Amino acid sequence: MNEILIEGQRLRLRRANIDDLNYIMTLQVAPENLKFIVPFDENYHRAIINSDGSEKSDVIVEEVAGGQSVGYFMLRELDSPCAEYTHVIIGKKGIGYGRESLNLLLAWTFDVKKFHRVWIDCKDYNSVALHLYESLGFVREGFLREIILTGGVYENLIVLGMIDREYFCKH
Ligand SMILES: CC(C)(COP(=O)(O)OP(=O)(O)OC[C@H]1O[C@@H](n2cnc3c(N)ncnc32)[C@H](O)[C@@H]1OP(=O)(O)O)[C@@H](O)C(=O)NCCC(=O)NCCS
């Protein structure tokens, strides 16, 4: 039985199970996603899926109508007051699923689970993701210079965060 985190009009978020492993790996290495994320290997995901989910969780975004998987999030630090969203990937892009699924994830984070804050990092040239995060209310908190090596080039990360009271001001 799949554990559902939260459900909206078009989408629901549920914990990944072992049958989702192939989808998660495929989504991560698709060129349009890979350039913006740091992929983890299959064993790392397998361990997360097989865990009780109390510290890390792989989450599938799926369509309510039909149950098709359309995206994937990785959540970490769930055993602290400050959750981290690490992977945010939508396979069916450009039709509002990113915004809708992140709104659901924020509702789960603050309304349901009562986290104090959530944070995320993002490559500084990922303008689509930065626009999305900031329009949802994330605040730029830091700039990590040349912190990840991608194809021989050191890249910068922007750290963004949202505090519970900022979320509740908007919702
Ligand atoms: C970033 C990502 C999650 C956004 O999901 P999405 O479903 O495509 O986005 P949405 O359709 O919900 O659109 C969200 C906003 O981005 C804008 N947007 C979406 N695609 C865009 C594009 N190609 N160019 C410019 N703006 C774009 C939309 O107009 C919308 O803004 P608006 O509501 O102000 O008009 C998705 O594109 C993705 O998986 N990208 C690759 C992986 C990645 O970068 N992850 C983030 C790592 S930090």
Side-chain angles (χ1 to χ4, degrees):
M1 171 94 168
N2 290 320
E3 184 191 329
I4 294 171
L5 280 67
I6 190 164
E7 185 167 309
Q9 281 201 317
R10 290 193 299 174
L11 301 173
R12 78 168 67 89
L13 309 185
R14 64 166 175 81
R15 263 203 89 190
N17 61 56
I18 208 70
D19 295 333
D20 298 307
L21 196 51
N22 190 39
Y23 177 71
I24 291 170
M25 297 311 295
T26 304
L27 206 57
Q28 284 188 107
V29 299
E32 66 274 21
N33 301 324
L34 187 57
K35 59 186 172 191
F36 294 124
I37 61 150
V38 178
F40 294 108
D41 67 26
E42 204 168 307
N43 285 335
Y44 188 85
H45 289 286
R46 195 183 297 277
I48 293 175
I49 289 169
N50 288 332
S51 75
D52 65 5
S54 58
E55 198 270 318
K56 296 184 187 70
S57 188
D58 276 340
V59 172
I60 295 294
V61 182
E62 70 179 17
E63 290 173 332
V64 171
Q68 190 195 348
S69 300
V70 294
Y72 151 72
F73 300 138
M74 186 195 291
L75 317 180
R76 288 199 301 209
E77 301 177 25
L78 298 175
D79 54 354
S80 82
C82 307
E84 180 188 5
Y85 303 163
T86 55
H87 287 171
V88 170
I89 308 176
I90 294 295
K92 271 192 174 180
K93 299 186 203 317
I95 55 170
Y97 278 178
R99 183 176 295 287
E100 188 171 330
S101 56
L102 277 168
N103 268 319
L104 285 171
L105 189 59
L106 287 167
W108 177 82
T109 301
F110 292 117
D111 290 324
V112 180
K113 302 303 280 189
K114 314 287 186 205
F115 280 95
H116 173 58
R117 61 173 261 129
V118 63
W119 64 282
I120 192 165
D121 62 46
C122 184
K123 292 188 180 183
D124 62 345
Y125 57 84
N126 190 350
S127 54
V128 173
L130 285 169
H131 164 74
L132 177 57
Y133 299 149
E134 290 189 292
S135 67
L136 286 166
F138 280 88
V139 173
R140 289 188 194 217
E141 297 179 331
F143 189 81
L144 306 176
R145 296 179 302 152
E146 301 192 11
I147 191 159
I148 40 175
L149 188 58
T150 312
V153 177
Y154 281 107
E155 298 186 307
N156 307 318
L157 287 178
I158 293 176
V159 177
L160 303 104
M162 192 187 300
I163 309 283
D164 52 4
R165 60 183 175 276
E166 294 167 342
Y167 171 81
F168 289 117
C169 269
K170 289 187 122 197
H171 296 87

